[in-house]
Coordinates of all heavy atoms in Angstrom, one line a residue:
A402 N 92.5 121.2 106.8 CA 91.3 121.0 107.6 C 91.5 121.3 109.1 O 90.6 121.3 109.9 CB 90.8 119.5 107.4
G403 N 92.8 121.6 109.4 CA 93.1 122.0 110.8 C 93.1 120.8 111.7 O 93.0 121.0 112.9
V404 N 93.4 119.6 111.2 CA 93.5 118.4 112.1 C 95.0 118.4 112.6 O 95.8 117.7 112.0 CB 93.1 117.1 111.3 CG1 93.2 115.9 112.3 CG2 91.8 117.2 110.7
D405 N 95.2 119.1 113.6 CA 96.6 119.3 114.1 C 96.9 118.5 115.3 O 98.1 118.5 115.8 CB 96.8 120.8 114.4 CG 96.6 121.7 113.2 OD1 97.0 121.2 112.1 OD2 96.1 122.8 113.3
D406 N 95.9 117.8 115.9 CA 96.2 117.1 117.2 C 96.5 115.7 117.0 O 96.6 114.9 118.0 CB 94.9 117.3 118.1 CG 93.7 116.8 117.5 OD1 93.7 116.6 116.2 OD2 92.7 116.5 118.2
V407 N 96.7 115.2 115.8 CA 97.0 113.8 115.5 C 98.3 113.8 114.7 O 98.3 114.5 113.7 CB 95.8 113.1 114.8 CG1 96.2 111.6 114.6 CG2 94.5 113.2 115.5
P408 N 99.3 113.0 115.0 CA 100.5 112.9 114.2 C 100.1 112.4 112.8 O 99.2 111.6 112.6 CB 101.3 111.8 114.9 CG 100.8 111.8 116.3 CD 99.4 112.2 116.2
L409 N 100.8 113.0 111.8 CA 100.5 112.7 110.4 C 101.7 112.1 109.7 O 102.8 112.7 109.7 CB 100.1 114.0 109.6 CG 99.9 113.9 108.1 CD1 98.7 113.0 107.8 CD2 99.8 115.2 107.5
V410 N 101.5 110.9 109.1 CA 102.5 110.3 108.3 C 102.0 110.4 106.8 O 100.9 110.1 106.5 CB 102.7 108.8 108.6 CG1 103.7 108.1 107.7 CG2 103.3 108.7 110.1
Y411 N 102.9 110.8 106.0 CA 102.6 111.1 104.6 C 103.4 110.3 103.6 O 104.7 110.4 103.7 CB 102.7 112.6 104.3 CG 103.0 113.1 102.9 CD1 102.3 112.5 101.8 CD2 103.9 114.1 102.6 CE1 102.5 113.0 100.5 CE2 104.1 114.5 101.3 CZ 103.4 114.0 100.2 OH 103.6 114.4 99.0
T412 N 102.8 109.4 102.8 CA 103.5 108.6 101.8 C 103.2 109.1 100.4 O 102.1 109.3 100.1 CB 103.1 107.1 101.9 OG1 103.6 106.5 103.1 CG2 103.7 106.3 100.8
E413 N 104.3 109.4 99.7 CA 104.1 109.8 98.3 C 104.4 108.6 97.3 O 105.4 107.9 97.5 CB 105.0 111.0 98.0 CG 104.8 111.6 96.6 CD 103.3 112.0 96.5 OE1 102.9 113.0 97.0 OE2 102.6 111.2 95.8
H414 N 103.6 108.5 96.3 CA 103.7 107.5 95.3 C 103.7 108.1 93.9 O 104.1 107.4 92.9 CB 102.4 106.6 95.3 CG 102.0 106.0 96.6 ND1 102.1 104.6 96.8 CD2 101.5 106.5 97.7 CE1 101.7 104.3 98.0 NE2 101.3 105.4 98.6
F415 N 103.4 109.4 93.7 CA 102.9 109.9 92.4 C 104.1 109.9 91.4 O 105.1 110.5 91.6 CB 102.4 111.3 92.6 CG 101.9 112.0 91.4 CD1 101.1 111.3 90.5 CD2 102.1 113.3 91.2 CE1 100.5 111.9 89.4 CE2 101.6 113.9 90.0 CZ 100.8 113.2 89.1
S416 N 103.8 109.3 90.3 CA 104.8 109.2 89.2 C 104.9 110.5 88.4 O 105.8 110.7 87.6 CB 104.4 108.1 88.2 OG 103.2 108.3 87.7
G417 N 104.0 111.5 88.7 CA 104.1 112.8 88.0 C 105.1 113.8 88.6 O 105.3 114.9 88.1
L418 N 105.7 113.4 89.7 CA 106.7 114.3 90.3 C 108.0 114.1 89.7 O 108.4 113.0 89.3 CB 106.8 113.9 91.8 CG 105.6 114.2 92.7 CD1 105.9 113.8 94.2 CD2 105.1 115.6 92.6
S419 N 108.8 115.2 89.6 CA 110.1 115.2 89.0 C 110.9 116.4 89.6 O 110.3 117.2 90.3 CB 110.1 115.3 87.5 OG 109.8 116.6 87.1
L420 N 112.2 116.4 89.4 CA 113.0 117.5 89.8 C 112.6 118.8 89.2 O 112.9 119.9 89.7 CB 114.5 117.2 89.6 CG 115.1 116.1 90.4 CD1 116.5 115.8 90.0 CD2 115.1 116.5 91.9
D421 N 111.9 118.7 88.0 CA 111.4 119.9 87.4 C 110.0 120.4 87.9 O 109.5 121.4 87.4 CB 111.3 119.7 85.9 CG 112.7 119.4 85.2 OD1 113.6 120.0 85.7 OD2 112.7 118.6 84.3
G422 N 109.4 119.6 88.8 CA 108.2 120.0 89.4 C 107.0 119.2 88.8 O 107.2 118.3 88.0
A423 N 105.8 119.7 89.1 CA 104.6 119.1 88.7 C 103.5 120.2 88.4 O 103.9 121.4 88.4 CB 104.0 118.1 89.7
D424 N 102.3 119.8 88.2 CA 101.3 120.8 88.0 C 101.1 121.6 89.2 O 101.5 121.2 90.3 CB 99.9 120.1 87.6 CG 99.4 119.2 88.7 OD1 99.9 118.0 88.7 OD2 98.6 119.7 89.5
R425 N 100.4 122.8 89.1 CA 100.4 123.8 90.3 C 99.6 123.2 91.5 O 100.1 123.3 92.6 CB 99.7 125.1 89.8 CG 99.6 126.1 90.9 CD 99.3 127.5 90.4 NE 98.0 127.6 89.8 CZ 97.0 128.0 90.6 NH1 97.1 128.3 91.8 NH2 95.8 128.2 90.0
R426 N 98.5 122.5 91.2 CA 97.8 121.9 92.3 C 98.7 120.9 93.1 O 98.7 120.9 94.3 CB 96.5 121.2 91.8 CG 95.5 120.8 92.9 CD 95.8 119.4 93.5 NE 95.8 118.4 92.5 CZ 96.2 117.2 92.8 NH1 96.8 116.9 94.0 NH2 96.2 116.2 91.9

């Protein structure tokens, strides 16, 4: 969205992530 003027903190929770990857999206 181009919201570049505010610092962004990103927390990941998703159990579908693995060292082998996830779906393309």
Side-chain angles (χ1 to χ4, degrees):
V404 183
D405 299 323
D406 57 342
V407 182
L409 174 65
V410 175
Y411 156 42
T412 290
E413 189 53 79
H414 308 248
F415 184 41
S416 58
L418 296 180
S419 73
L420 291 174
D421 296 325
D424 62 274
R425 182 162 69 90
R426 193 273 302 166

